[in-house]
Amino acid sequence: QFDLDIHRSAWRIFARSQRHAGMFARHCSAGNAHVVVTGHPKFDLVDSQRGGAFAAEVARQAARRPVVLWSPHFSVGETAGWSTFRTYGEAILEYASTRQDLFLLVRPHPLFFSAMRTNGYWDAAAEDAFRAQIRDSGNMALVETADYHDAFAAASVLLADGGSFLLEFLPTGKPVAYLHHPQGPGLNDDGALVDRYYLVRSAADLPAVISAEFSRITVTVLPGGSVDVPFTLTPRPGRSSATSSEKPG
């Protein structure tokens, strides 16, 4: 997605980070002289989300418990994708049910339910059972709103498959755990971020990741130190539109 006609012929490409601009240098045959690093408007929006009615309702249901946001991807087909739902989903729900000191906020990709049915993993009864398991748990809730930034604001931590949430959640400053699919397609250059996240490589890792430490919302940083936020989020969130307007024509 870096060397299409539109990339080669564009007058300007606005990149979310220095790393993103570097991807054009490596993969676009036209180079990246026409690429300007402005930051990402989505990061501006995340930075502006400070709560609201949705977050207040989640806080009421969570009753002072840390909120773990889980975001299953929709790529659940026979060919391994980024979704780890068929690998870890049952284990996550089972473990969460034993941790009444935590609140699990389940926010699947909008295509998740239809993908489960289309690929033959669920019928209507199986989907109803999944919804009922969450509804009747006492420490879980299902989110299907279009705007996921509400869920970001409500969450204490993120538990995510490979996808944009691994990057988009970063401006919140909250902990992230990456659900790795061992047969999946992997990540792009921004995937270097996951080296600094909690990492789930098997269901056996879940108790250590979703641990008592999360009850205090502290993070044991993996070897290598903290995430290189300045390199990943340049300019800082809240500045992308201003930065693009400041660039000379």
Side-chain angles (χ1 to χ4, degrees):
Q1 299 181 2
F2 296 93
D3 199 28
L4 300 177
D5 286 343
I6 191 170
H7 298 132
R8 293 188 292 269
S9 61
W11 166 74
R12 280 285 185 269
I13 294 176
F14 298 105
R16 61 179 176 261
S17 66
Q18 295 290 351
R19 179 183 282 117
H20 191 208
M23 295 183 206
F24 283 97
R26 285 187 293 279
H27 304 300
C28 182
S29 58
N32 71 343
H34 58 317
V35 177
V36 177
V37 178
T38 60
H40 201 305
K42 283 188 176 182
F43 294 158
D44 295 355
L45 184 58
V46 171
D47 191 57
S48 70
Q49 301 299 306
R50 301 299 184 190
F54 178 89
E57 173 58 20
V58 172
R60 184 193 67 78
Q61 294 182 48
R64 298 184 179 274
R65 293 172 290 187
V67 177
V68 178
L69 173 60
W70 176 34
S71 57
H73 198 266
F74 69 92
S75 54
V76 296
E78 286 298 327
T79 301
W82 292 278
S83 176
T84 61
F85 183 81
R86 295 196 297 125
T87 306
Y88 306 133
E90 184 176 343
I92 290 171
L93 291 170
E94 181 178 349
Y95 185 69
S97 70
T98 71
R99 290 293 306 273
Q100 290 296 316
D101 58 323
L102 298 176
F103 191 82
L104 184 66
L105 191 62
V106 186
R107 201 280 180 186
H109 188 281
L111 297 177
F112 170 78
F113 288 107
S114 61
M116 289 294 288
R117 294 190 301 268
T118 300
N119 285 280
Y121 301 122
W122 278 353
D123 56 15
E127 180 179 331
D128 288 345
F130 173 77
R131 292 175 179 275
Q133 181 179 5
I134 295 172
R135 183 182 63 246
D136 300 337
S137 65
N139 71 328
M140 305 181 202
L142 181 64
V143 182
E144 297 182 82
T145 56
D147 188 352
Y148 54 82
H149 295 99
D150 289 339
F152 281 14
S156 307
V157 297
L158 173 68
L159 188 62
D161 294 328
S164 64
F165 279 14
L166 291 175
L167 187 63
E168 291 183 47
F169 194 75
L170 192 57
T172 69
K174 301 170 186 177
V176 179
Y178 166 51
L179 298 167
H180 173 70
H181 195 311
Q183 285 82 47
L187 304 170
N188 64 19
D189 290 8
D190 278 328
L193 288 173
V194 305
D195 293 338
R196 314 296 177 86
Y197 290 166
Y198 279 104
L199 183 61
V200 176
R201 291 187 179 275
S202 71
D205 293 336
L206 288 168
V209 171
I210 309 175
S211 67
E213 290 299 310
F214 274 11
S215 297
R216 295 187 292 275
I217 308 303
T218 60
V219 180
T220 302
V221 179
L222 296 175
S226 60
V227 172
D228 187 4
V229 175
F231 187 67
T232 306
L233 304 180
T234 305
R236 66 172 178 80
R239 288 284 297 163
S240 66
S241 58
T243 304
S244 62
S245 66
E246 291 165 2
K247 295 295 177 183

